PDB file of all heavy atoms in Angstrom:
ATOM      1  N   ARG A   2      56.645  57.034  75.810  1.00  0.00           N
ATOM      2  CA  ARG A   2      55.689  57.560  76.774  1.00  0.00           C
ATOM      3  C   ARG A   2      55.888  56.905  78.141  1.00  0.00           C
ATOM      4  O   ARG A   2      56.321  55.755  78.233  1.00  0.00           O
ATOM      5  CB  ARG A   2      54.273  57.301  76.268  1.00  0.00           C
ATOM      6  CG  ARG A   2      53.448  58.560  76.090  1.00  0.00           C
ATOM      7  CD  ARG A   2      52.220  58.286  75.290  1.00  0.00           C
ATOM      8  NE  ARG A   2      51.278  57.427  75.996  1.00  0.00           N
ATOM      9  CZ  ARG A   2      50.055  57.168  75.517  1.00  0.00           C
ATOM     10  NH1 ARG A   2      49.675  57.691  74.354  1.00  0.00           N
ATOM     11  NH2 ARG A   2      49.242  56.398  76.162  1.00  0.00           N
ATOM     12  N   ASN A   8      54.950  49.939  81.653  1.00  0.00           N
ATOM     13  CA  ASN A   8      54.476  48.610  81.267  1.00  0.00           C
ATOM     14  C   ASN A   8      55.629  47.702  80.850  1.00  0.00           C
ATOM     15  O   ASN A   8      55.629  46.512  81.138  1.00  0.00           O
ATOM     16  CB  ASN A   8      53.482  48.725  80.114  1.00  0.00           C
ATOM     17  CG  ASN A   8      52.098  49.085  80.621  1.00  0.00           C
ATOM     18  OD1 ASN A   8      51.758  48.782  81.759  1.00  0.00           O
ATOM     19  ND2 ASN A   8      51.317  49.750  79.794  1.00  0.00           N
ATOM     20  N   ARG A  45      54.315  44.224  71.321  1.00  0.00           N
ATOM     21  CA  ARG A  45      54.769  45.493  70.767  1.00  0.00           C
ATOM     22  C   ARG A  45      56.174  45.806  71.281  1.00  0.00           C
ATOM     23  O   ARG A  45      57.038  46.251  70.548  1.00  0.00           O
ATOM     24  CB  ARG A  45      53.793  46.602  71.163  1.00  0.00           C
ATOM     25  CG  ARG A  45      53.893  47.823  70.289  1.00  0.00           C
ATOM     26  CD  ARG A  45      52.766  48.810  70.577  1.00  0.00           C
ATOM     27  NE  ARG A  45      51.494  48.140  70.761  1.00  0.00           N
ATOM     28  CZ  ARG A  45      50.898  47.985  71.929  1.00  0.00           C
ATOM     29  NH1 ARG A  45      51.458  48.446  73.015  1.00  0.00           N
ATOM     30  NH2 ARG A  45      49.736  47.373  72.015  1.00  0.00           N
TER      31      ARG A  45
ATOM     32  P    DT D   6      53.143  59.355  67.007  1.00  0.00           P
ATOM     33  OP1  DT D   6      54.579  59.662  66.885  1.00  0.00           O
ATOM     34  OP2  DT D   6      52.390  58.664  65.925  1.00  0.00           O
ATOM     35  O5'  DT D   6      52.916  58.541  68.362  1.00  0.00           O
ATOM     36  C5'  DT D   6      53.022  59.227  69.599  1.00  0.00           C
ATOM     37  C4'  DT D   6      52.585  58.329  70.740  1.00  0.00           C
ATOM     38  O4'  DT D   6      51.138  58.352  70.865  1.00  0.00           O
ATOM     39  C3'  DT D   6      52.979  56.857  70.601  1.00  0.00           C
ATOM     40  O3'  DT D   6      53.576  56.475  71.817  1.00  0.00           O
ATOM     41  C2'  DT D   6      51.644  56.137  70.356  1.00  0.00           C
ATOM     42  C1'  DT D   6      50.657  57.048  71.092  1.00  0.00           C
ATOM     43  N1   DT D   6      49.259  57.024  70.590  1.00  0.00           N
ATOM     44  C2   DT D   6      48.215  56.858  71.489  1.00  0.00           C
ATOM     45  O2   DT D   6      48.391  56.720  72.684  1.00  0.00           O
ATOM     46  N3   DT D   6      46.962  56.881  70.917  1.00  0.00           N
ATOM     47  C4   DT D   6      46.658  57.036  69.581  1.00  0.00           C
ATOM     48  O4   DT D   6      45.503  57.050  69.195  1.00  0.00           O
ATOM     49  C5   DT D   6      47.789  57.191  68.703  1.00  0.00           C
ATOM     50  C7   DT D   6      47.571  57.362  67.230  1.00  0.00           C
ATOM     51  C6   DT D   6      49.022  57.173  69.242  1.00  0.00           C
ATOM     52  P    DC D   8      51.526  50.533  76.191  1.00  0.00           P
ATOM     53  OP1  DC D   8      52.080  50.419  77.546  1.00  0.00           O
ATOM     54  OP2  DC D   8      52.102  49.761  75.079  1.00  0.00           O
ATOM     55  O5'  DC D   8      49.964  50.222  76.287  1.00  0.00           O
ATOM     56  C5'  DC D   8      49.173  51.020  77.151  1.00  0.00           C
ATOM     57  C4'  DC D   8      47.739  50.557  77.098  1.00  0.00           C
ATOM     58  O4'  DC D   8      47.203  50.895  75.805  1.00  0.00           O
ATOM     59  C3'  DC D   8      47.593  49.055  77.258  1.00  0.00           C
ATOM     60  O3'  DC D   8      46.851  48.765  78.424  1.00  0.00           O
ATOM     61  C2'  DC D   8      46.877  48.578  75.989  1.00  0.00           C
ATOM     62  C1'  DC D   8      46.385  49.849  75.338  1.00  0.00           C
ATOM     63  N1   DC D   8      46.535  49.866  73.861  1.00  0.00           N
ATOM     64  C2   DC D   8      45.406  49.966  73.033  1.00  0.00           C
ATOM     65  O2   DC D   8      44.284  50.017  73.557  1.00  0.00           O
ATOM     66  N3   DC D   8      45.570  49.995  71.691  1.00  0.00           N
ATOM     67  C4   DC D   8      46.801  49.943  71.170  1.00  0.00           C
ATOM     68  N4   DC D   8      46.920  49.984  69.841  1.00  0.00           N
ATOM     69  C5   DC D   8      47.967  49.853  71.990  1.00  0.00           C
ATOM     70  C6   DC D   8      47.782  49.813  73.322  1.00  0.00           C
ATOM     71  P    DG D  10      41.935  43.124  78.969  1.00  0.00           P
ATOM     72  OP1  DG D  10      41.439  43.556  80.297  1.00  0.00           O
ATOM     73  OP2  DG D  10      43.086  42.198  78.857  1.00  0.00           O
ATOM     74  O5'  DG D  10      40.720  42.509  78.144  1.00  0.00           O
ATOM     75  C5'  DG D  10      39.808  43.388  77.508  1.00  0.00           C
ATOM     76  C4'  DG D  10      39.540  42.918  76.101  1.00  0.00           C
ATOM     77  O4'  DG D  10      40.652  43.247  75.239  1.00  0.00           O
ATOM     78  C3'  DG D  10      39.342  41.393  75.965  1.00  0.00           C
ATOM     79  O3'  DG D  10      38.310  41.183  75.046  1.00  0.00           O
ATOM     80  C2'  DG D  10      40.693  40.943  75.409  1.00  0.00           C
ATOM     81  C1'  DG D  10      40.958  42.105  74.464  1.00  0.00           C
ATOM     82  N9   DG D  10      42.326  42.216  73.983  1.00  0.00           N
ATOM     83  C8   DG D  10      43.487  41.981  74.674  1.00  0.00           C
ATOM     84  N7   DG D  10      44.558  42.184  73.960  1.00  0.00           N
ATOM     85  C5   DG D  10      44.075  42.579  72.723  1.00  0.00           C
ATOM     86  C6   DG D  10      44.770  42.932  71.542  1.00  0.00           C
ATOM     87  O6   DG D  10      45.982  42.986  71.340  1.00  0.00           O
ATOM     88  N1   DG D  10      43.891  43.271  70.519  1.00  0.00           N
ATOM     89  C2   DG D  10      42.528  43.258  70.619  1.00  0.00           C
ATOM     90  N2   DG D  10      41.848  43.609  69.525  1.00  0.00           N
ATOM     91  N3   DG D  10      41.870  42.931  71.713  1.00  0.00           N
ATOM     92  C4   DG D  10      42.700  42.603  72.725  1.00  0.00           C
TER      93       DG D  10
END
Side-chain angles (χ1 to χ4, degrees):
Chain A
R2 239 166 67 173
N8 279 333
R45 200 171 318 106

